[in-house]
Amino acid sequence: MKLPATIVGILLLCLSFTVEAQTDDVGSFIKRFDYFLKTNTAKLSWSAKDSANTMPVPMPNALDASRTRIPDPTTGLWHYPNLQKVYDPETGFYIDYEGHRYYSYKTDIVAGKIYKGKESVQIKRTEKVQNEL
């Protein structure tokens, strides 16, 4: 009887470590995003005026808009202004982010959430991107 209980205990212990690791990754992303909001990179938005100088439009990237990114040197986060996203290449987490409304984003590090106004922002995860040469 002790052997099955020991095996179940070990499995539960292993599962708890796996859950903590993912939570730590989200927490790390949220902490770095909080610092990102306090830097100048958060306020950058690549745009240009249209021919009548009336409306800003996203800067085009003739090759691939998804590759146009602004790396933040202090946090390591990548801001994709054309796609309106902030991505963490270290953990694979990203959020939809409107750079021209940076002031409406708030972080709650304790709760592990990011807010845009009063709405909670969904933190999504994708595969980690390999750094290109």
Side-chain angles (χ1 to χ4, degrees), residues 60-68:
N61 181 331
L63 299 176
D64 184 1
S66 66
R67 292 184 176 263
T68 303

Side-chain angles (χ1 to χ4, degrees), residues 3-70:
L3 182 62
T6 304
I7 292 173
V8 169
I10 291 171
L11 286 174
L12 289 174
L13 184 63
C14 290
L15 289 175
S16 69
F17 284 126
T18 304
V19 172
E20 284 181 24
Q22 290 179 355
T23 304
D24 289 342
D25 284 349
V26 172
S28 171
F29 172 69
I30 293 171
K31 285 178 188 174
R32 286 189 283 140
F33 183 73
D34 182 54
Y35 190 74
F36 171 82
L37 288 175
K38 297 172 185 170
T39 66
N40 287 334
T41 308
K43 299 159 188 68
L44 291 178
S45 178
W46 288 356
S47 62
K49 298 282 184 180
D50 62 358
S51 60
N53 275 338
T54 58
M55 190 172 165
V57 294
M59 289 289 285
N61 181 331
L63 299 176
D64 184 1
S66 66
R67 292 184 176 263
T68 303
R69 67 175 184 243
I70 304 170

Side-chain angles (χ1 to χ4, degrees), residues 34-118:
D34 182 54
Y35 190 74
F36 171 82
L37 288 175
K38 297 172 185 170
T39 66
N40 287 334
T41 308
K43 299 159 188 68
L44 291 178
S45 178
W46 288 356
S47 62
K49 298 282 184 180
D50 62 358
S51 60
N53 275 338
T54 58
M55 190 172 165
V57 294
M59 289 289 285
N61 181 331
L63 299 176
D64 184 1
S66 66
R67 292 184 176 263
T68 303
R69 67 175 184 243
I70 304 170
D72 182 40
T74 56
T75 63
L77 299 178
W78 295 348
H79 176 206
Y80 289 87
N82 288 335
L83 301 177
Q84 296 187 343
K85 296 193 182 308
V86 170
Y87 173 73
D88 181 6
E90 187 178 311
T91 62
F93 287 106
Y94 70 95
I95 63 166
D96 296 329
Y97 175 77
E98 297 177 55
H100 63 281
R101 294 186 167 205
Y102 68 91
Y103 53 85
S104 65
Y105 289 85
K106 305 289 182 235
T107 57
D108 185 350
I109 295 172
V110 175
K113 295 190 177 222
I114 299 173
Y115 296 95
K116 179 181 173 192
K118 295 181 180 181

